[in-house]
Amino acid sequence: MIDLHTHSTASDGTLEPEALVELAAQKKLTAIALTDHDTVAGVARAQAAGGTLGVEVVPGVELSVGSERGALHLLGYFVRPEDAGLRAKLDQWCAVRQERARLMVEKLAELGIEISYAKVEVAAGSGSVGRPHVAREMMRVKAVRSVEEAFERYLRRGKPAYVPREMPEAEEAIGLIRSAGGVAVLAHPATLWLKGAELEARVKELRAQGLEGIEVHWSGHSPRQRQELLVLAKKLSVVATGGSDFHGENKPGIQLGSGRRGNVRVPEAVLQALRGLAGKRE
Ligand code: AMP
Ligand code: FE
Ligand code: FE
Ligand code: ZN
């Protein structure tokens, strides 16, 4: 079994990179991709643990792209973590995230919820800060009982403590992944809230910008959505990838290697296909 979409404490997962790989080994996974939001800070640690435990760790990243509708996320597989161009952009986006988290803490204070930005920053550690870190601090001061509740009442788009974040265009994000040696894949297409011909047109547009895969086997996709996405991937000749989107305790319903709606079974051939595409990038 393999899982090509996971998060560690380098972004908004709750397991340290080493602990994530240990869990993967316990679950007898042969490979995982570490795809933290806007950071590759956990990759080296995960790979070191993977070397010891016999789990392949694919270097990855997940980038957010501006989208009128829903959420457009791109996964970058086999990026070179030390790539200077990649590092510079990720640092910039992490700084934007910090400023946004600070503004959210201010908004919460106006709403009577006093949390400390310094604590949020400490909880986020050295990688990227995100709303789940704010949510956990809200839990700690007993303003909410769960991350889910923090999002539903305060942090989601449209809710009172929401602050928008500046995001790159798809073309820039795809270009960045490719220039760092990686393969760009559209994460969880369902979150675009597009169907049929509209979704196909959007994926074609992204493919013209260098996209080479779409995430089909994802914990939040229903069996029917997976089937439709598999057909779309074949039709457009892009790789049909998959992963759980494991975040540890920040998304308690999702297990490593499987998800809320049944197992996420990712064919091992997907990894070879991605490796092949990345190999051509040299
Ligand atoms: P951010 O990157 O700061 O915009 O926060 C988005 C992250 O929050 C996503 O990557 C998810 O991990 C998490 N998230 C989004 N919506 C929810 C939700 N309703 N409940 C729990 N976590 C969520
Ligand atoms: Fe996340
Ligand atoms: Fe995502
Ligand atoms: Zn993710």
Side-chain angles (χ1 to χ4, degrees):
M1 235 192 338
I2 62 174
D3 188 334
L4 300 179
H5 190 160
T6 72
H7 296 268
S8 75
T9 49
S11 67
D12 58 359
T14 56
L15 292 187
E16 298 285 335
E18 292 84 0
L20 177 69
V21 177
E22 267 167 41
L23 182 61
Q26 269 173 31
K27 294 198 167 221
K28 309 256 186 286
L29 297 183
T30 54
I32 64 165
L34 182 63
T35 53
D36 277 310
H37 301 282
D38 295 333
T39 183
V40 288
V43 168
R45 287 171 57 190
Q47 285 185 323
T52 312
L53 296 165
V55 177
E56 177 179 358
V57 175
V58 176
V61 68
E62 181 171 13
L63 306 179
S64 312
V65 164
S67 171
E68 289 151 40
R69 206 157 167 194
L72 201 171
H73 292 177
L74 290 169
L75 296 161
Y77 291 115
F78 292 105
V79 288
R80 288 184 298 269
E82 68 289 351
D83 183 89
L86 179 67
R87 288 278 183 146
K89 268 293 167 195
L90 294 182
D91 284 350
Q92 189 185 317
W93 293 331
C94 283
V96 170
R97 282 176 166 280
Q98 283 180 335
E99 183 52 29
R100 181 225 201 181
R102 202 189 305 274
L103 291 172
M104 284 192 292
V105 168
E106 278 176 18
K107 279 203 166 186
L108 285 167
E110 285 165 21
L111 295 163
I113 297 176
E114 298 282 346
I115 61 169
S116 128
Y117 175 71
K119 289 213 169 113
V120 171
E121 206 170 33
V122 169
S126 60
S128 66
V129 62
R131 282 176 285 171
H133 298 111
V134 175
R136 289 194 84 81
E137 195 52 26
M138 291 167 74
M139 272 172 79
R140 209 185 56 80
V141 302
K142 300 205 158 46
V144 292
R145 266 162 305 189
S146 65
V147 174
E148 191 65 35
E149 187 188 342
F151 270 87
E152 287 311 310
R153 290 177 59 194
Y154 300 100
L155 303 177
R156 257 176 47 165
R157 204 190 287 192
K159 298 296 172 181
Y162 176 76
V163 176
R165 173 161 62 93
E166 215 180 291
M167 293 178 199
E169 302 280 331
E171 189 158 24
E172 181 183 5
I174 292 170
L176 188 67
I177 289 168
R178 293 181 65 117
S179 70
V183 180
V185 169
L186 174 63
H188 39 71
T191 66
L192 288 176
W193 297 103
L194 297 173
K195 276 203 261 188
E198 272 187 322
L199 177 63
E200 181 173 336
R202 190 74 182 95
V203 174
K204 272 188 179 158
E205 205 176 349
L206 294 167
R207 189 184 60 175
Q209 295 170 342
L211 188 87
E212 293 179 288
I214 62 174
E215 190 173 51
V216 170
H217 316 280
W218 180 62
S219 57
H221 286 152
S222 66
R224 189 196 161 131
Q225 281 174 318
R226 291 178 204 189
Q227 191 49 41
E228 286 171 0
L229 288 165
L230 197 56
V231 170
L232 183 64
K234 284 206 174 113
K235 183 172 176 187
L236 301 185
S237 301
V238 293
V239 181
T241 71
S244 63
D245 210 353
F246 179 72
H247 281 72
E249 289 307 310
N250 277 341
K251 290 191 178 175
I254 300 175
Q255 307 299 312
L256 189 64
S258 67
R260 201 171 261 147
R261 303 196 193 170
N263 270 358
V264 177
R265 293 196 186 283
V266 188
E268 312 240 336
V270 171
L271 183 52
Q272 299 316 319
L274 292 172
R275 202 193 308 280
L277 289 169
K280 281 196 237 159
R281 190 108 326 127
E282 304 295 293

